[in-house]
Amino acid sequence: MANNSLFLLTISTLLISTVAGRLITTTTTTSSSSDLVSDGVHDGYGVALRTFLSAGEEPESCEQTYGFMPCTTTILGNLFLILVYGYLMYLAATYLSAGSELLLEILGPGLVGGLLLPSLGALPDAMLILVSGLSGTVEVAQEQVSVGMGLLAGSTVMLLTAIWGSCVIVGKCDIENSIAIDGQDTKGFNLVGSGVTTDIWTSYSAMIMAVSVLPFIVVQFPQIMHSTSGRHLAVLIGLIVSVCLLISYCIYQVMQPKLQRRRLAFAKHKHVRSRILQYLKKRALGRLLDDRGEPNKEVLEKLFESIDVDGDKHLSHSELRALVVGMRLYEINLKEDDAVDKVLRDFDKSENNLIDFEEFKVGISNWLTEAKGSKIDVHTAGPDTLKYIHDYYEETKREHDLLVDDAGDDEEEGVDDPQRTTIKAVLLLILGSAIAAVVADPLVDTVGNFSTATGIPSFFISFIALPLATNSSEAVSAIIFATRKKKRSASLTFSELYGAATMNNILCLSVFLALVYMRGLTWDFSSEVLVIVIVCVIMGVFGSLRTTFPIWTSFIAFFLYPFSLILVYVLDYFFGWS
């Protein structure tokens, strides 16, 4: 309600105070007919309106968007309008984000989380890019399209530098054994001993983001080859590649929750196997392997008998369950019955839901072979030592930790009134989309007017100012979520940042390239493309090669932001890149 009141008050104030018009005054003095405007009553006598807009004194006029939206030609006036329109665009992004989160609560991940949320998050940027390329004639559009490119570059760079680095600092926890400990922050601002840890899926998101710059390279290829021909064709090919990547990314996002659950289930089962081996090793009265490195039959028989409580020479589901429960696998949020079913499938080749000794011996032998063949020093895998079993256990535990199982977290409360929540979500999405659609055009015009009034290139204005409006809700959400100081929240935070940058590189770029191709505009953005590629590749490779980020890594991200601005300025104004 407060936001709506502020919205109406702002629009009213603008319409009253800043609308453009002619300066007029009243006079009773006689004057030449060319300076007088009849009032329609006195037929040229008495009161008349004198215009002060002679040919030599006419001030520079501005064009009102939609015929009624305020405009101005002064620096302060345009700065004020940028702040107002930017705030309205921020409201649009906030409404879209709120509506998307409500839909996510109702429908869950998959189609909503994988396709709808990233698309709606990129909608304000896409709207501004669309408007910048549709404005007026081809010549006008060619001038204003730099606003769209500035927004595209600035949004991506800001997400991966300033916001990324801030999330590392506010989400920092103590790092022990290369893993950040949830909720433990006692080391202060330790550059090496404090930081965040993400899951393996976040690394995949970073890798995908790095690959998403491919359309930029495709469309830039003629300039790389110093060729003036084929640029229009390169734009079309880049558009096709970008759309294909967009479709592939959406499919991956829709399928990811299912893939993540399957991989997590496999990691849990692998961890159970390693824990059972470690458990049997401790309980063995002799060595599990004989002098030839084969399973020791006598030792395995004694272990089998210790598990076979009823002495019927078979291990039942209940006896295996007692074994699993006795190992107390609390750290992996284990469902005992599911674990027992998977173990039973590993051993029960006769499929009678019972395990005899021969099946037990073969199963343990297969598990030992798997442990021996994992990333363990083969020289420690002899009959005289079973250290590799412990190493195998630690490896499987770390693999599980990297997947960040959230089953043990407090479950989200269900939606009390799904129908009402759905209506609210749809209304928020409609309102956010409407505001973004209405404000995009005057915001682009105002940036152009401010650029004209100050002499600052519109690219730099849109690079710095517009991302603050279109991405501020995402930035605040990501930083607040990072303050929870957990691996799961850190993973979701950085995945969101990588995902937003990816959507900029494929969805927003698709809109941009479609405009350039259909309107026959010239692609002259070599320096801007170079900045996007450098930042995305550095942060993408960096994020895909590691899962733990100490505080010192945030300084790399922070450095890339001013570096990007300086690089574009130097390339454009000292080397004449275009």
Side-chain angles (χ1 to χ4, degrees):
M1 184 64 70
N3 285 339
N4 292 337
S5 301
L6 182 57
F7 171 76
L8 294 175
L9 179 62
T10 302
I11 291 298
S12 301
T13 304
L14 283 171
L15 291 176
I16 293 172
S17 62
T18 61
V19 98
R22 295 195 306 169
L23 179 64
I24 58 177
T25 187
T26 59
T27 182
T28 55
T29 350
T30 22
S31 184
S32 65
S33 59
S34 61
D35 289 334
L36 296 178
V37 178
S38 172
D39 62 0
V41 177
H42 298 85
D43 195 23
Y45 300 97
V47 179
L49 302 177
R50 177 184 298 274
T51 64
F52 286 85
L53 300 179
S54 62
E57 299 172 347
E58 183 173 359
E60 184 181 356
S61 62
C62 62
E63 182 179 352
Q64 296 172 331
T65 310
Y66 309 130
F68 68 91
M69 295 293 276
C71 69
T72 178
T73 57
T74 65
I75 295 177
L76 291 179
N78 278 297
L79 179 60
F80 174 73
L81 289 180
I82 288 177
L83 293 176
V84 172
Y85 290 141
Y87 174 73
L88 294 177
M89 190 61 75
Y90 162 74
L91 283 184
T94 302
Y95 290 142
L96 288 170
S97 176
S100 301
E101 290 176 3
L102 288 178
L103 278 185
L104 188 61
E105 290 180 10
I106 300 170
L107 302 177
L111 184 62
V112 175
L115 180 58
L116 187 60
L117 292 187
S119 301
L120 291 174
L123 181 61
D125 288 356
M127 195 73 69
L128 285 169
I129 291 171
L130 183 65
V131 167
S132 70
L134 290 177
S135 301
T137 64
V138 173
E139 290 74 17
V140 173
Q142 186 67 56
E143 293 177 4
Q144 292 200 346
V145 79
S146 62
V147 174
M149 175 53 73
L151 172 63
L152 182 59
S155 178
T156 300
V157 171
M158 186 181 76
L159 288 169
L160 298 178
T161 57
I163 300 177
W164 192 98
S166 299
C167 289
V168 171
I169 291 178
V170 301
K172 65 183 177 64
C173 297
D174 296 344
I175 296 177
E176 297 179 6
N177 298 322
S178 301
I179 298 290
I181 309 301
D182 285 354
Q184 181 177 316
D185 186 14
T186 61
K187 297 183 179 180
F189 205 76
N190 190 312
L191 296 180
V192 178
S194 187
V196 299
T197 294
T198 61
D199 61 19
I200 195 67
W201 298 97
T202 307
S203 299
Y204 297 159
S205 297
M207 191 182 306
I208 292 171
M209 183 199 66
V211 174
S212 69
V213 301
L214 182 61
F216 285 103
I217 299 175
V218 171
V219 75
Q220 198 65 28
F221 191 75
Q223 284 89 330
I224 295 175
M225 301 302 295
H226 302 288
S227 172
T228 56
S229 61
R231 293 193 177 189
H232 202 55
L233 178 61
V235 170
L236 177 60
I237 296 175
L239 174 60
I240 295 172
V241 173
S242 182
V243 171
C244 291
L245 287 177
L246 175 61
I247 295 173
S248 301
Y249 181 70
C250 290
I251 293 174
Y252 168 76
Q253 287 291 81
V254 171
M255 297 297 296
Q256 183 185 359
K258 183 177 180 180
L259 296 173
Q260 190 167 353
R261 286 192 297 268
R262 291 181 61 182
R263 179 161 180 180
L264 182 59
F266 177 77
K268 284 185 177 182
H269 178 48
K270 188 175 178 181
H271 185 63
V272 169
R273 294 201 303 262
S274 68
R275 184 62 178 269
I276 290 177
L277 285 177
Q278 190 181 49
Y279 180 81
L280 295 178
K281 170 193 169 185
K282 291 180 179 178
R283 295 194 58 183
L285 302 178
R287 294 177 302 178
L288 284 177
L289 301 177
D290 58 23
D291 293 336
R292 296 174 298 173
E294 299 294 330
N296 192 321
K297 183 176 180 181
E298 293 181 359
V299 171
L300 290 179
E301 282 180 346
K302 294 177 181 179
L303 291 173
F304 183 86
E305 291 172 358
S306 68
I307 301 171
D308 182 20
V309 178
D310 58 11
D312 64 350
K313 306 298 183 182
H314 289 87
L315 301 183
S316 63
H317 188 283
S318 60
E319 289 169 333
L320 287 175
R321 191 179 192 282
L323 172 65
V324 172
V325 171
M327 291 187 299
R328 300 179 181 179
L329 296 170
Y330 303 132
E331 71 271 19
I332 63 171
N333 300 317
L334 184 69
K335 292 182 179 179
E336 287 85 0
D337 289 334
D338 292 341
V340 172
D341 289 339
K342 290 183 173 65
V343 172
L344 197 59
R345 284 198 297 268
D346 279 357
F347 286 80
D348 183 22
K349 301 305 178 184
S350 61
E351 298 183 356
N352 62 350
N353 292 325
L354 295 172
I355 301 174
D356 59 28
F357 174 71
E358 287 300 320
E359 290 174 329
F360 179 76
K361 184 178 74 172
V362 172
I364 293 298
S365 177
N366 291 336
W367 284 4
L368 288 171
T369 301
E370 178 184 331
K372 193 183 302 184
S374 61
K375 300 174 183 179
I376 308 297
D377 186 358
V378 294
H379 298 294
T380 67
D384 297 326
T385 177
L386 291 177
K387 179 180 178 301
Y388 68 92
I389 292 180
H390 173 75
D391 294 340
Y392 179 58
Y393 168 74
E394 292 295 331
E395 176 195 341
T396 57
K397 186 175 183 300
R398 177 177 175 80
E399 181 179 339
H400 174 270
D401 289 341
L402 288 177
L403 293 174
V404 183
D405 181 14
D406 60 345
D409 292 348
D410 294 332
E411 294 185 359
E412 297 282 344
E413 294 184 1
V415 179
D416 294 332
D417 190 348
Q419 184 176 2
R420 183 178 179 181
T421 304
T422 302
I423 294 174
K424 182 179 179 181
V426 172
L427 290 177
L428 285 172
L429 293 177
I430 293 175
L431 178 60
S433 301
I435 294 176
V438 171
V439 174
D441 197 5
L443 179 55
V444 170
D445 290 341
T446 303
V447 169
N449 293 337
F450 184 75
S451 173
T452 302
T454 59
I456 301 174
S458 58
F459 170 84
F460 292 102
I461 301 171
S462 56
F463 185 97
I464 298 172
L466 295 189
L468 295 176
T470 59
N471 294 308
S472 52
S473 60
E474 289 180 346
V476 172
S477 174
I479 292 174
I480 291 176
F481 208 64
T483 58
R484 296 184 182 182
K485 296 182 180 296
K486 292 185 177 180
K487 288 193 288 289
R488 179 173 180 263
S489 60
S491 300
L492 292 175
T493 296
F494 288 95
S495 293
E496 180 183 354
L497 296 180
Y498 295 139
T502 301
M503 291 303 287
N504 283 345
N505 291 344
I506 51 181
L507 175 60
C508 295
L509 180 63
S510 296
V511 174
F512 196 94
L513 292 179
L515 286 171
V516 172
Y517 182 77
M518 289 187 297
R519 301 214 62 185
L521 305 179
T522 304
W523 180 268
D524 288 327
F525 305 105
S526 299
S527 56
E528 294 85 345
V529 167
L530 181 62
V531 164
I532 294 174
V533 171
I534 288 176
V535 172
C536 287
V537 169
I538 290 177
M539 298 305 296
V541 172
F542 196 48
S544 63
L545 293 180
R546 59 189 305 151
T547 56
T548 297
F549 301 94
I551 287 181
W552 65 264
T553 60
S554 66
F555 294 106
I556 297 178
F558 289 138
F559 167 76
L560 286 174
Y561 188 81
F563 169 79
S564 302
L565 270 175
I566 294 172
L567 181 61
V568 172
Y569 181 79
V570 170
L571 292 178
D572 279 349
Y573 296 97
F574 286 88
F575 293 94
W577 276 36
S578 61

